[in-house]
């Protein structure tokens, strides 16, 4: 999970008989290094190439050695370690649980959340100690928006890192924690059938629009003996309406391209859409994208045009 990250240059290590702090300072001045925190830097080219999640993980690895060993990586920082998705950018501070604290403390690089932590809620991912997947999801559900929580929870249960019951068990031990009702709603809403963060967010927006609950990952078989199948993201059998979420991943990732050029992927997707539209049980076909999810009225108009009644 973290093996691919660039090497962190620390000022407390020796290099060719001299302390690295001077070399780091000069490297930063020349633009060769990027300072992650005081006394820690990484190669500038590697930093520029890193994703938002990887930059946050670099910060985690740079900060944690300076903290007391009782502190455990948590919340969004643990989610980054477990490769759970997030909407938007990853935080600019490392989140930890400090069992000795009674209130949350925020400093330049760290957000310290109060404990406690049970033994089953801590995992080891050398060189880090972090909250378990279930505890991480529970913390996110308690402190994040419903949308953010569902996106992380869907991925958690889909990948088998934990079950919804595991997360409920953690929440049951949080007494009357602030945000508990919303957290329980998010856990109840989670499903392993949403295959991407975009589909998870689409589910939430549909719920907010008052749409009837759709069938997820509906298979439409075709060919001799139903040998082939077209799988759609959302299906309302009562109204005969299909909705597909189109993220860039569908046209860029290898598992979707399967050796085809982007242009051929688009052509094949159009052929697939026509095949679905021509089925007798399908009365309407709609697509949505990230931008439309940020403007729910557009999605509502799109679905109404396809034949799905909305309040």
């Amino acid at each position: 999970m973290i093996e691919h990250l660039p090497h962190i240059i620390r000022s407390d290590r020796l290099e060719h008989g001299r302390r690295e702090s001077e070399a780091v300072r000069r490297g930063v001045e020349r633009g060769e290094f990027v300072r992650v925190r005081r006394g820690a830097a990484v190669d500038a080219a590697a930093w520029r190439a890193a994703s938002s999640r990887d930059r946050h993980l670099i910060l985690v690895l740079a900060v944690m050695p300076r903290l007391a060993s009782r502190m455990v990586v948590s919340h969004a920082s643990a989610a980054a370690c477990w490769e759970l998705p997030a909407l938007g950018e990853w935080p600019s501070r490392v989140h930890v649980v400090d069992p000795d604290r009674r209130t949350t403390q925020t400093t330049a690089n760290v957000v310290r959340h109060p404990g406690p932590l049970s033994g089953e809620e801590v995992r080891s991912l050398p060189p880090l100690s972090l909250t378990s997947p279930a505890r991480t999801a529970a913390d996110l559900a308690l402190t994040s928006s419903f949308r953010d929580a569902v996106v992380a929870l869907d991925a958690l249960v889909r990948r088998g890192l934990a079950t919804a019951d595991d997360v409920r068990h953690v929440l049951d031990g949080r007494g009357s924690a602030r945000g508990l009702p919303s957290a329980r709603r998010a856990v109840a809403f989670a499903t392993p059938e949403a295959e991407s963060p975009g589909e998870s967010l689409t589910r939430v927006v549909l719920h907010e629009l008052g749409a009837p609950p759709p069938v997820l990952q509906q298979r439409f078989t075709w060919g001799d003996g139903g040998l082939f199948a077209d799988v759609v993201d959302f299906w309302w059998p009562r109204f005969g309406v299909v909705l597909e979420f189109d993220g860039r991943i569908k046209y860029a990732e290898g598992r979707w391209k399967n050796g085809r050029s982007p242009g051929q992927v688009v052509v094949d997707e159009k052929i697939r859409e026509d095949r679905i539209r021509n089925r007798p049980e399908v009365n309407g076909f709609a697509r949505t994208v990230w931008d439309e999810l940020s403007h729910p009225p557009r999605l509502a108009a799109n679905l109404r045009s396809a034949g799905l009644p909305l309040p």
Side-chain angles (χ1 to χ4, degrees):
M1 297 180 186
I2 59 177
E3 296 84 357
H4 67 288
L5 298 175
H7 170 67
I8 297 175
I9 305 166
R10 304 182 190 277
S11 63
D12 56 352
R13 294 186 180 181
L14 298 178
E15 182 182 72
H16 305 302
R18 63 179 182 178
R19 296 189 68 82
E20 281 189 347
S21 54
E22 180 182 353
V24 169
R25 179 178 59 79
R26 291 180 178 177
V28 171
E29 291 175 352
R30 291 193 297 262
E32 298 171 357
F33 301 146
V34 170
R35 185 177 286 109
V36 181
R37 61 147 177 86
R38 185 177 180 181
V42 295
D43 177 77
W47 179 264
R48 288 192 297 269
S51 64
S52 174
R53 171 183 169 273
D54 283 352
R55 289 183 179 186
H56 184 70
L57 288 175
I58 293 169
L59 179 63
V60 171
L61 292 173
V63 166
M64 289 307 294
R66 302 189 64 170
L67 301 182
S69 59
R70 69 177 183 274
M71 299 188 196
V72 175
V73 180
S74 68
H75 294 75
S77 298
C81 294
W82 292 117
E83 299 182 0
L84 296 178
L87 298 174
E89 295 294 309
W90 291 89
S92 59
R93 293 180 176 88
V94 177
H95 288 255
V96 300
V97 169
D98 183 351
D100 287 356
R101 290 203 63 82
R102 292 179 176 272
T103 59
T104 300
Q105 179 192 48
T106 301
T107 57
N109 293 316
V110 185
V111 179
R112 295 173 174 85
H113 300 270
L117 279 169
S118 67
E120 66 180 12
E121 293 175 353
V122 180
R123 296 286 188 275
S124 176
L125 182 66
L128 303 172
S129 291
L130 66 161
T131 51
S132 68
R135 171 62 189 260
T136 301
D139 286 336
L140 291 175
L142 285 167
T143 58
S144 303
S145 69
F146 184 76
R147 291 185 173 194
D148 288 283
V150 169
V151 167
L153 285 161
D154 279 0
L156 179 92
V157 296
R158 181 181 70 252
R159 292 173 51 200
L161 293 174
T163 66
D165 284 341
D166 293 333
V167 182
R168 289 190 190 96
H169 175 70
V170 175
L171 292 175
D172 287 344
R174 302 302 290 270
S176 57
R178 183 178 180 182
L180 196 56
S182 178
R184 293 191 187 280
R185 284 198 306 116
V187 175
F189 195 74
T191 177
E193 295 181 342
E195 293 190 338
S196 70
E199 290 182 27
S200 296
L201 181 56
T202 302
R203 293 180 58 235
V204 176
V205 175
L206 290 171
H207 177 70
E208 292 170 349
L209 290 173
V215 175
L216 305 184
Q217 311 306 325
Q218 173 68 32
R219 294 172 59 86
F220 292 116
T221 58
W222 59 281
D224 293 338
L227 183 62
F228 306 102
D230 294 319
V231 182
V232 300
D233 298 331
F234 304 94
W235 165 241
W236 287 270
R238 179 182 173 189
F239 307 102
V241 174
V242 168
L243 174 66
E244 289 275 76
F245 171 78
D246 280 350
R248 291 182 182 178
I249 188 171
K250 188 172 289 188
Y251 302 100
E253 271 204 352
R255 69 188 182 97
W256 289 99
K257 291 173 67 175
N258 196 24
R260 299 171 294 170
S261 68
Q264 187 59 50
V265 171
V266 172
V267 171
D268 291 347
E269 180 62 20
K270 182 63 172 72
I271 294 172
R272 171 181 171 273
E273 177 181 328
D274 290 343
R275 189 166 53 237
I276 295 170
R277 285 180 179 273
N278 290 331
R279 296 185 68 92
E281 66 269 43
V282 174
N283 300 320
F285 189 107
R287 293 185 180 275
T288 191
V289 294
W290 281 108
D291 183 64
E292 194 172 61
L293 297 179
S294 300
H295 303 86
R298 297 182 189 174
L299 176 58
N302 193 4
L303 289 170
R304 289 192 182 100
S305 296
L308 185 70
L310 292 174

